[in-house]
Every structure is written in C-alpha cells, then in structure tokens.
Amino acid sequence: MHSIYARANGISGLWSTCVMVLLGAVALSSFLFNADSKGSLDIVSLKVFHSKTRRYPFRNEEIGFVKFNLSADLTPLFNWNTKQLFVYLEAEYTNAQGVNNTVVIWDRIVRRKDDATIDIVQKEKYKLRDLSGSFSNVHPAQYSLKYSVMPYVGVLTYGEAARTTEAIDFPDARDSVS
Amino acid sequence: MTIQELVEGRIDFKGQKTADDIVRVVLITSTFLSFVIGFAFSSLMITMSTFALCTVALSLVVLPPWPMFNRHPVTWLSESVQEQK
C-alpha cells in the first residue's frame, strides 16, 4: 500500500471477489421467484399441401400450414434478473415408428414486461414438415407454447405456458391452388 | 513535487493501515448495500450503479496520497548514533 499502484493492486483483489459475490447473490435470488404463467392455445385451421423441398427442387414433400389463436400472459415471469423471454410454439407428435417429434413453428423474443402479453391469431413462422416428407402415417399432434427465461446472471429456466386441449389429426395432403 | 513523487503517491505506514481498513470496510458494505437497494427497487441497474459509484468514491479517497495518510511520518534515528559504530 506504499504507492498508488500498490493500493490499486490491493483494492482490485478484494473488489473482484466482491463483484463475484454480488453477481452470485443476484443469480441465487432468481430461485426466490417461482412464477408460472398460463394461457390458451387453439388451432384455427391446419392444412397440408404438396410442395417441393427447398434443397432438392425435384423432390416432393408435404408441408403443414397452421393458423393458431394464442393468448398468454407472461408478465409473472419478469423479475429483476430477467433479461428476456424466449417463447416458442411447438408441434409434438409421434410418427409411425413410435419416435417423438417436436417441430418449432413460431417463436418470439420478449424483452420487456410491457410486451409480455401475447394475444394473436397468426400463421406459422417456420415450416411444419416431417423428416420423412409426408404426414400420412403420423399420429395426431399436440401444440404447446413453451418459454425459456433468460436471466442477466444465473441459471436458464423453462416451462410450458399453454397447450391444445386435444390432439389434432393431420389432414390429407392436397395440391395447392396456383 | 516531482513527477515521480506525484505518480508514486507515497504514504506512511500508519496511513497505509488506515487505507487498507477503509478499503476492506467500504468494499464489503457496498456489496451488501447495492444488493439490498437493488432488490428493494427491483432493478439490476441500480445495484450495478451503486456498486460502481462506491468503487469510484473509494478510489478517490484511498488512491491519491492525501495529507491525512501522511500524519505519522517515520522518525529516523539521527546521524550521530550511526557514527558511534
């Protein structure tokens, strides 16, 4: 502590420890907030069309077009340590071989508490397609709204906010009207 | 003061002890205080800015060689004691 440099060096040791303790306390405080949010999700319409795959334009595949009615109140998830919410809509089904598939068809990033209520009737953002290229042998699908809470410091938490009440069957594929 | 004395910022031993005590007390209380205040106002921005302000204030108090750290200069023995050897 005899010179300015020595005092600065001495301060920086305890200071970095204090910063880490402070951030650790903030991360631990996230566990005090156990909020759960609920909403409702309905599928307005679901159509399946024949189309070409994006990569190989000579190959045919079936694409699903979903229109959904979604309302959810996600404001309870915002605490002082919430940086943003990642909200996504998933289609879950088992295929003919018994394998569980989940396809994300819509997502949104919510950065502020004011934007945390969702009340939309929308179509999908991403393609709803099966890896095999066809929905003909696939079991009926459930749709669910899931969220990830991303903190400033700490553990990533996740949950489910809404779910369709019953599984919806995929209709037969038809040719699109051109 | 020469430039070297300015940059060095020497303080006496009792001053160094005082500086060390101030640093320890201020850093630990500012950690605790900024967490509590930020939690009360539910804003991480307030937490970080109170901690930053406390750090800046601490640097201003402890880093420069203020006169209060130089109140007890070292008393060296007079030259006549050395010559007797």
Side-chain angles (χ1 to χ4, degrees), chain A residues 124-146:
Chain A
E124 80 287 352
K125 211 176 181 185
Y126 308 111
K127 272 205 241 189
L128 175 55
R129 61 176 287 272
D130 188 46
L131 275 180
S132 70
S134 162
F135 283 113
S136 46
N137 295 326
V138 154
H139 295 153
Q142 284 260 5
Y143 297 81
S144 58
L145 181 77
K146 300 196 172 97

CSV table of all heavy atoms in Angstrom, one decimal, chain A residues 124-146:
chain,number,residue,atom,x,y,z
A,124,GLU,N,-48.0,-19.9,-39.1
A,124,GLU,CA,-46.7,-20.3,-38.6
A,124,GLU,C,-45.6,-19.5,-39.2
A,124,GLU,O,-45.7,-18.9,-40.3
A,124,GLU,CB,-46.5,-21.8,-38.9
A,124,GLU,CG,-46.1,-22.1,-40.3
A,124,GLU,CD,-47.2,-21.9,-41.3
A,124,GLU,OE1,-48.3,-21.7,-40.9
A,124,GLU,OE2,-46.9,-22.0,-42.5
A,125,LYS,N,-44.5,-19.4,-38.5
A,125,LYS,CA,-43.3,-18.7,-39.0
A,125,LYS,C,-42.3,-19.6,-39.7
A,125,LYS,O,-41.7,-19.2,-40.6
A,125,LYS,CB,-42.6,-18.1,-37.7
A,125,LYS,CG,-41.9,-16.8,-37.9
A,125,LYS,CD,-41.4,-16.4,-36.5
A,125,LYS,CE,-40.7,-15.1,-36.4
A,125,LYS,NZ,-40.1,-14.9,-35.1
A,126,TYR,N,-42.3,-20.8,-39.2
A,126,TYR,CA,-41.3,-21.8,-39.8
A,126,TYR,C,-42.1,-23.0,-40.3
A,126,TYR,O,-43.2,-23.2,-39.9
A,126,TYR,CB,-40.3,-22.3,-38.7
A,126,TYR,CG,-39.7,-21.1,-38.0
A,126,TYR,CD1,-39.9,-20.9,-36.6
A,126,TYR,CD2,-38.8,-20.3,-38.6
A,126,TYR,CE1,-39.3,-19.8,-36.0
A,126,TYR,CE2,-38.2,-19.2,-38.0
A,126,TYR,CZ,-38.5,-19.0,-36.7
A,126,TYR,OH,-37.9,-17.9,-36.0
A,127,LYS,N,-41.5,-23.7,-41.2
A,127,LYS,CA,-42.2,-24.7,-41.9
A,127,LYS,C,-42.5,-25.9,-41.0
A,127,LYS,O,-41.7,-26.4,-40.2
A,127,LYS,CB,-41.3,-25.3,-43.0
A,127,LYS,CG,-41.4,-24.5,-44.4
A,127,LYS,CD,-41.0,-25.5,-45.5
A,127,LYS,CE,-39.8,-24.9,-46.2
A,127,LYS,NZ,-39.6,-25.7,-47.4
A,128,LEU,N,-43.7,-26.4,-41.1
A,128,LEU,CA,-44.1,-27.6,-40.4
A,128,LEU,C,-44.0,-28.7,-41.4
A,128,LEU,O,-44.8,-28.9,-42.2
A,128,LEU,CB,-45.5,-27.4,-39.9
A,128,LEU,CG,-46.2,-28.6,-39.2
A,128,LEU,CD1,-45.3,-29.1,-38.0
A,128,LEU,CD2,-47.5,-28.3,-38.7
A,129,ARG,N,-42.9,-29.5,-41.2
A,129,ARG,CA,-42.7,-30.6,-42.1
A,129,ARG,C,-42.1,-31.8,-41.3
A,129,ARG,O,-41.5,-31.6,-40.3
A,129,ARG,CB,-41.7,-30.2,-43.3
A,129,ARG,CG,-40.4,-29.8,-42.8
A,129,ARG,CD,-39.5,-29.5,-44.0
A,129,ARG,NE,-39.0,-30.7,-44.7
A,129,ARG,CZ,-38.0,-31.5,-44.4
A,129,ARG,NH1,-37.2,-31.1,-43.4
A,129,ARG,NH2,-37.7,-32.5,-45.1
A,130,ASP,N,-42.3,-32.9,-41.8
A,130,ASP,CA,-41.8,-34.1,-41.2
A,130,ASP,C,-40.5,-34.6,-41.9
A,130,ASP,O,-40.4,-34.3,-43.0
A,130,ASP,CB,-42.9,-35.3,-41.2
A,130,ASP,CG,-42.5,-36.5,-40.4
A,130,ASP,OD1,-42.0,-36.3,-39.3
A,130,ASP,OD2,-42.5,-37.6,-40.9
A,131,LEU,N,-39.6,-35.2,-41.1
A,131,LEU,CA,-38.4,-35.6,-41.7
A,131,LEU,C,-38.6,-36.6,-42.9
A,131,LEU,O,-37.8,-36.6,-43.8
A,131,LEU,CB,-37.5,-36.3,-40.7
A,131,LEU,CG,-36.6,-35.3,-39.8
A,131,LEU,CD1,-35.8,-36.0,-38.8
A,131,LEU,CD2,-35.7,-34.4,-40.7
A,132,SER,N,-39.6,-37.4,-42.8
A,132,SER,CA,-39.8,-38.4,-43.8
A,132,SER,C,-40.5,-37.8,-45.0
A,132,SER,O,-40.5,-38.4,-46.1
A,132,SER,CB,-40.8,-39.5,-43.3
A,132,SER,OG,-42.1,-39.0,-43.1
A,133,GLY,N,-40.9,-36.5,-44.9
A,133,GLY,CA,-41.5,-35.9,-46.1
A,133,GLY,C,-43.0,-36.0,-46.2
A,133,GLY,O,-43.6,-35.5,-47.2
A,134,SER,N,-43.6,-36.8,-45.3
A,134,SER,CA,-45.1,-37.0,-45.5
A,134,SER,C,-45.7,-37.1,-44.1
A,134,SER,O,-45.2,-37.6,-43.2
A,134,SER,CB,-45.3,-38.3,-46.3
A,134,SER,OG,-46.6,-38.7,-46.1
A,135,PHE,N,-46.9,-36.6,-44.1
A,135,PHE,CA,-47.7,-36.6,-42.8
A,135,PHE,C,-48.7,-37.8,-42.8
A,135,PHE,O,-49.6,-37.8,-42.0
A,135,PHE,CB,-48.4,-35.3,-42.6
A,135,PHE,CG,-47.5,-34.2,-42.1
A,135,PHE,CD1,-47.3,-33.1,-42.9
A,135,PHE,CD2,-46.9,-34.3,-40.8
A,135,PHE,CE1,-46.5,-32.1,-42.4
A,135,PHE,CE2,-46.1,-33.2,-40.4
A,135,PHE,CZ,-45.9,-32.1,-41.2
A,136,SER,N,-48.7,-38.7,-43.8
A,136,SER,CA,-49.8,-39.6,-43.9
A,136,SER,C,-49.8,-40.7,-42.8
A,136,SER,O,-50.8,-41.1,-42.4
A,136,SER,CB,-49.7,-40.3,-45.3
A,136,SER,OG,-48.4,-40.7,-45.6
A,137,ASN,N,-48.6,-41.0,-42.3
A,137,ASN,CA,-48.6,-42.1,-41.3
A,137,ASN,C,-48.3,-41.5,-39.9
A,137,ASN,O,-47.9,-42.3,-39.0
A,137,ASN,CB,-47.5,-43.1,-41.6
A,137,ASN,CG,-47.8,-43.8,-42.9
A,137,ASN,OD1,-49.0,-44.1,-43.2
A,137,ASN,ND2,-46.8,-44.1,-43.7
A,138,VAL,N,-48.7,-40.3,-39.7
A,138,VAL,CA,-48.3,-39.6,-38.4
A,138,VAL,C,-49.5,-39.5,-37.5
A,138,VAL,O,-50.6,-39.3,-37.9
A,138,VAL,CB,-47.7,-38.3,-38.8
A,138,VAL,CG1,-47.8,-37.3,-37.7
A,138,VAL,CG2,-46.2,-38.4,-39.2
A,139,HIS,N,-49.2,-39.8,-36.2
A,139,HIS,CA,-50.3,-39.7,-35.2
A,139,HIS,C,-50.7,-38.2,-35.0
A,139,HIS,O,-50.0,-37.3,-35.4
A,139,HIS,CB,-49.8,-40.2,-33.9
A,139,HIS,CG,-49.5,-41.7,-34.0
A,139,HIS,ND1,-48.6,-42.3,-33.1
A,139,HIS,CD2,-50.0,-42.7,-34.8
A,139,HIS,CE1,-48.6,-43.6,-33.4
A,139,HIS,NE2,-49.4,-43.8,-34.4
A,140,PRO,N,-51.9,-38.0,-34.5
A,140,PRO,CA,-52.3,-36.6,-34.2
A,140,PRO,C,-51.4,-35.8,-33.4
A,140,PRO,O,-50.7,-36.4,-32.5
A,140,PRO,CB,-53.7,-36.8,-33.5
A,140,PRO,CG,-54.2,-38.1,-33.9
A,140,PRO,CD,-52.9,-38.9,-34.2
A,141,ALA,N,-51.3,-34.5,-33.6
A,141,ALA,CA,-50.3,-33.7,-33.0
A,141,ALA,C,-50.9,-32.8,-31.9
A,141,ALA,O,-52.0,-32.3,-32.1
A,141,ALA,CB,-49.6,-32.8,-34.0
A,142,GLN,N,-50.1,-32.6,-30.8
A,142,GLN,CA,-50.5,-31.6,-29.8
A,142,GLN,C,-49.6,-30.4,-30.0
A,142,GLN,O,-48.5,-30.5,-30.4
A,142,GLN,CB,-50.2,-32.2,-28.4
A,142,GLN,CG,-51.1,-33.2,-27.9
A,142,GLN,CD,-52.1,-32.5,-26.9
A,142,GLN,OE1,-52.1,-31.3,-26.7
A,142,GLN,NE2,-53.0,-33.4,-26.3
A,143,TYR,N,-50.2,-29.2,-29.8
A,143,TYR,CA,-49.4,-28.0,-29.9
A,143,TYR,C,-49.2,-27.3,-28.6
A,143,TYR,O,-50.2,-27.3,-27.8
A,143,TYR,CB,-50.1,-27.0,-30.9
A,143,TYR,CG,-50.2,-27.6,-32.3
A,143,TYR,CD1,-51.3,-28.5,-32.6
A,143,TYR,CD2,-49.3,-27.3,-33.3
A,143,TYR,CE1,-51.3,-29.1,-33.8
A,143,TYR,CE2,-49.4,-27.8,-34.5
A,143,TYR,CZ,-50.4,-28.7,-34.8
A,143,TYR,OH,-50.5,-29.3,-36.1
A,144,SER,N,-48.0,-26.9,-28.3
A,144,SER,CA,-47.8,-26.3,-26.9
A,144,SER,C,-46.9,-25.1,-27.0
A,144,SER,O,-46.1,-25.0,-27.9
A,144,SER,CB,-47.1,-27.3,-26.0
A,144,SER,OG,-45.9,-27.7,-26.6
A,145,LEU,N,-47.2,-24.1,-26.1
A,145,LEU,CA,-46.4,-22.9,-26.1
A,145,LEU,C,-45.4,-23.0,-24.9
A,145,LEU,O,-45.8,-23.2,-23.8
A,145,LEU,CB,-47.3,-21.7,-25.8
A,145,LEU,CG,-46.6,-20.4,-25.8
A,145,LEU,CD1,-46.2,-19.9,-27.2
A,145,LEU,CD2,-47.4,-19.3,-25.1
A,146,LYS,N,-44.1,-23.0,-25.2
A,146,LYS,CA,-43.1,-23.1,-24.1
A,146,LYS,C,-42.3,-21.8,-24.1
A,146,LYS,O,-42.2,-21.1,-25.0
A,146,LYS,CB,-42.2,-24.3,-24.4
A,146,LYS,CG,-43.0,-25.6,-24.6
A,146,LYS,CD,-42.0,-26.8,-24.5
A,146,LYS,CE,-42.7,-28.1,-24.4
A,146,LYS,NZ,-42.9,-28.8,-25.7
